[in-house]
Amino acid sequence: MFEATVGYVIAWFGILINHGAHSPGRKLKYWMKAPHGLSSPYIQDTMSFHAFEFLRSYIHFEDNRNAKPITNQRFD
């Protein structure tokens, strides 16, 4: 287990920003070795994939109760 400090959450945001800027798609590829992944040491040394997914499962910025159903024309 790990301690989710403010610095750890900031590092998590950094990985999300890097992911969005460089390689949209599966996040796991940062922790996979080549040729199937990107093998990014600066991300791998920051936090484990398990820790990344743990934070991702608990940090939300939208209330899903207000989300439109997938069948709605304005679903996003």
Side-chain angles (χ1 to χ4, degrees), residues 2 8 10 22 30 33 46 49 60-61:
F2 63 93
Y8 215 66
I10 290 171
H22 294 289
Y30 286 127
K33 294 187 186 222
T46 302
F49 180 71
H60 297 280
F61 298 100

Side-chain angles (χ1 to χ4, degrees), residues 7 11-12 14 18 22 25-26 31-36 38 40 46 50 52 55 57 59 63 65 69 71 74:
W12 179 78
N18 184 304
H22 294 289
R26 289 182 36 201
W31 288 271
M32 294 172 63
K33 294 187 186 222
H36 302 292
L38 296 177
S40 302
T46 302
H50 173 72
F52 178 83
L55 288 174
S57 68
I59 297 177
D63 187 353
R65 295 174 293 181
T71 56
R74 294 186 169 270

Side-chain angles (χ1 to χ4, degrees), residues 9-22:
V9 174
I10 290 171
W12 179 78
F13 273 115
I15 293 172
L16 285 179
I17 291 168
N18 184 304
H19 175 265
H22 294 289

